[in-house]
Amino acid sequence: MEDRRVNILLVDDRPENLLALEAVLDSPEYCLIQANSGIEALKWVLKKEFAVILMDVQMPTLNGFETAKMIREREKTKDVPIIFITALSQTIENILYGYSVGAIDYILKPVDPIILKCKVDAFVSMYLHKKKVIEQSELISKRTKELEAVSIELRKKEAMARAVGETSIDTIVFFNEEGEILSVNPAVTMMFGYLSTELIGARVDILFEFSIDNIPRRANVDTVGLKKDNTAFPIEVHLADAEVENEKIFVCTIRDITERKQHFDQLESLVVERTKELYKINQDLQREIEEKKATLNQLYESEEKYRLLVEKAPETIIVRKVKSDRITFINETGVELLKANSKEEIVGMSIYDIIHPSYHERAKKVYKEIEAGLPVLPYEEKFVCLNGDIIDIQVKIIPFVYGGEESLHIVIRDITEIKRNQEFIQQSEKLNVVGELAAGIAHEIRNPLTSLKGFTQLLNHQFSTESDYVEIMISEIERINTIVGELLLLAKPTEDEFKQVCLEDLLENVRMLMSAQANLHGVVINHVNQQTIHNLFFNGVENKIKQVFINIIKNAIEAMGNGGKITLETTRLDSKVLIAFHDTGAGIPAHLLNKIGNPFYTTKEKGTGLGLMISKSIIESHEGELRINSIEGKGTTVEVILPVCE
């Protein structure tokens, strides 16, 4: 809130004098400001406006006379009343000097409070009156300038209105409430044929066939104008009214719209003609739109078919940019191939995240050749699925533009099954060769083998030699005969009669049969989960399956040397049963595991390499599966899976 109090400056170097002055002049209408030196008084004068200044003459540094002189030299404070208050300088010379430097009054101490207050009140009244006079003067000056500006503006507008009226091609008629014409502009002669003097005082109705009472104010109305020769022509009337010295005056602007009517009629006929043309064009456009819609629908259908063709293609399709190794698209077939749950898991991955590390260098070389514009033939590599599976694939890369950027269309074909089939064919060819070779060897060896065995036994009988050589020779001849027998099994597989076999009885029989040999080598045979195969039967040849189980247990005993444990674990798998043989032997090195089961390959010193191959052949003839898992230093597990009778 603005402080409306009057400022009074009290200047004295003695605090008690200032307090005395303040007590005398205390009033809610005054703002009393104290200064204890002339310098401080000058500072306050620069900051605020004062109605009166009460100043002591005798002050150190800068006395009252000097301070007053400096205040009077400033333009803004030259008229501020200064009252000197002194107890020492009471000579007439000092008093006169005080008046000469700008004092209005000179009060001698001791001061009469009533006289001092009356004088100060008088000076304050003079200050307030002067301030009010200045404000009124400024207001009068401001209003005078505003009136002058309004007058100039009115004169300008009057001149402009006169110029507009005289130069306008429209007729402008001024008339009163009785319809009596007061004034017209020169255009009335050209438009209606009347002179201005002929129309002054006449009724405005002679100019057009329309009652002014029916013309809306400040709106354009089309009607018919009447010339002096009674010729009718189309006009546009605009009517406005205004109050001039308590009298209503109407201003009517009349425009000849003959040309506009003609143009409008022509335009209307053109519009009708153009409307017909547009209607025909619209029909053609509608027909074209329908055709385009049909084409667009066909395009959408084709696009949808192509999308489905890509998504459901038997081959995996991956798209990546030429300048980036990130995957930007993969179809649903690819998601299934890489064992992912959704496309989002793969899109954004680096292509090298799914390429097997051993093929990274080759892939980088291929992509560099494509970037250089060189043709690349389909090639093979391996992918690592998201679940860790490794698959064999064939890759074909086609450069194209995708999303406005140079990209690579990578077609991937899963050839894992083909690779397996090729390996199976190769294995089958090996078995055929082995079979043919076995037949030939068995035929050629059996005859001389019989003679060797007979003559050796005859020599031993006739000469009754106690040499160990004869026993060794007969043992080795029997071993050769056993090998030949196994070869004949490969060469001439026999048609066996399948019948239902109790798996529980068969395994118990095998366990009891092999217990003696196991005991000799310090091996314990245990059977866990035996209850899972209670009253469980399978279709097969009992002796052959028994041969397989005996062969597996025999290999396990030999693999453990002296001491160990063999665990038989049986598990029901819906329509199949899994029989697992776990041993605690030395295990098979990983690089040799894939060779186990190949003809004539064995890790045993006196093995033939045919036993496991024959066992695998027997299990497969029973529509089963034989698998070997081994960890070097921990043991080997042989799993046999057989279908069971429902």
Side-chain angles (χ1 to χ4, degrees), residues 503 532-533 536-539 569-579 619-620 622-627 640-646:
L503 182 60
T532 60
I533 58 170
L536 193 66
F537 292 83
F538 69 92
N539 280 324
E569 185 176 0
T570 50
T571 307
R572 180 69 185 268
L573 305 173
D574 295 331
S575 61
K576 296 181 180 180
V577 64
L578 184 147
I579 307 101
I619 296 300
E620 288 175 354
H622 284 69
E623 297 182 355
E625 185 180 354
L626 188 145
R627 299 186 302 210
V640 176
I641 300 174
L642 292 171
V644 297
C645 299
E646 294 297 332

Side-chain angles (χ1 to χ4, degrees), residues 336-341 345 383-391:
E336 294 176 7
L337 177 70
L338 294 173
K339 306 294 188 299
N341 295 320
E345 287 188 58
F383 266 9
V384 180
C385 299
L386 269 62
N387 66 349
D389 291 349
I390 298 174
I391 57 175

Side-chain angles (χ1 to χ4, degrees), residues 371-432:
E371 195 172 346
L374 300 175
V376 176
L377 296 175
Y379 63 94
E380 294 180 4
E381 64 183 14
K382 290 184 184 291
F383 266 9
V384 180
C385 299
L386 269 62
N387 66 349
D389 291 349
I390 298 174
I391 57 175
D392 293 291
I393 59 164
Q394 185 184 61
V395 182
K396 184 178 181 181
I397 303 177
I398 305 167
F400 81 124
V401 176
Y402 178 72
E405 295 189 51
E406 293 183 359
S407 303
L408 300 178
H409 182 93
I410 305 171
V411 181
I412 296 164
R413 183 182 178 195
D414 185 3
I415 59 172
T416 305
E417 196 62 33
I418 295 173
K419 286 278 190 181
R420 288 176 183 168
N421 291 338
Q422 288 176 349
E423 291 175 1
F424 180 75
I425 291 169
Q426 291 174 0
Q427 189 72 6
S428 298
E429 289 175 353
K430 288 181 182 179
L431 289 174
N432 288 335

Side-chain angles (χ1 to χ4, degrees), residues 322-323 365-376 399 406:
V322 173
K323 300 295 185 182
K365 181 181 178 183
V366 168
Y367 291 135
K368 284 181 181 178
E369 290 176 355
I370 292 172
E371 195 172 346
L374 300 175
V376 176
E406 293 183 359

Side-chain angles (χ1 to χ4, degrees), residues 522-539:
V523 175
V524 178
I525 302 175
N526 291 328
H527 187 182
V528 298
N529 294 340
Q530 189 170 353
Q531 66 277 9
T532 60
I533 58 170
H534 184 62
N535 292 329
L536 193 66
F537 292 83
F538 69 92
N539 280 324

